[in-house]
Amino acid sequence: VKIMNSLVQDKFSGKSITCADLACGTCWNMKYVFDNFNVEKAFCVEYSKHRIVDLAPVVLKHYNIPNERVNLINSSAYETPIESNI
């Protein structure tokens, strides 16, 4: 895992990225992504309305992740409306 993280970080070092987290649940993975990359915008897609509407904002706030840089989308990962949100 450390080797893979190092390779990925080297490739994106110093660059702003836009990322998508499909089937993101409560957005717990955003802590890792924001800590290790220069994230301009993140699209988090989750089918469960409870997870994405009620729980994800609490998790993002807990980890001090800026709301304006995360787009929470209640949708299926198979029918993602990300293109219309970019």
Side-chain angles (χ1 to χ4, degrees), residues 5-44:
N5 287 345
S6 178
L7 292 172
V8 171
Q9 287 173 354
D10 286 347
K11 181 173 182 165
F12 295 107
S13 179
K15 299 177 184 175
S16 290
I17 65 167
T18 297
C19 65
D21 188 356
L22 305 178
C24 66
T26 61
C27 295
W28 63 271
N29 193 44
M30 288 294 102
K31 165 86 170 117
Y32 171 82
V33 173
F34 275 81
D35 281 353
N36 291 284
F37 301 97
N38 182 14
V39 180
E40 182 178 332
K41 189 74 172 176
F43 293 90
C44 298

Side-chain angles (χ1 to χ4, degrees), residues 38-56:
N38 182 14
V39 180
E40 182 178 332
K41 189 74 172 176
F43 293 90
C44 298
V45 180
E46 173 56 43
Y47 184 75
S48 167
K49 185 175 182 181
H50 174 64
R51 288 184 189 132
I52 202 72
V53 172
D54 299 327
L55 301 178

Side-chain angles (χ1 to χ4, degrees), residues 46-78:
E46 173 56 43
Y47 184 75
S48 167
K49 185 175 182 181
H50 174 64
R51 288 184 189 132
I52 202 72
V53 172
D54 299 327
L55 301 178
V58 174
V59 171
L60 295 172
K61 182 177 180 179
H62 174 76
Y63 290 124
N64 297 315
I65 297 171
N67 290 335
E68 64 275 3
R69 291 173 45 200
V70 179
N71 191 350
L72 301 176
I73 303 168
N74 181 216
S75 180
S76 166
Y78 297 106

